[in-house]
Amino acid sequence: MGYLVVAFAAVWIGIAGYLGWLALRLRGARAELAAVSELVRESSAEKS
């Protein structure tokens, strides 16, 4: 029974870690998207 509890805890720790890793990647992608958006905005402002 103890192994089942340890396995259950390990799975949930793994899921939480994976979700944290995804959140960090998403934050980075949003930052890159904002930078690209700003570059496009600047580029279109220069052409106008």
Side-chain angles (χ1 to χ4, degrees):
M1 185 72 158
Y3 291 115
L4 184 62
V5 172
V6 171
F8 183 78
V11 167
W12 277 108
I13 289 170
I15 290 172
Y18 179 69
L19 289 176
W21 177 75
L22 278 180
L24 289 175
R25 286 196 47 150
L26 184 60
R27 185 186 310 172
R30 283 184 179 166
E32 286 186 38
L33 181 61
V36 169
S37 177
E38 183 64 29
L39 287 173
V40 169
R41 192 175 305 122
E42 288 175 3
S43 176
S44 65
E46 289 175 1
K47 291 180 180 179
S48 301

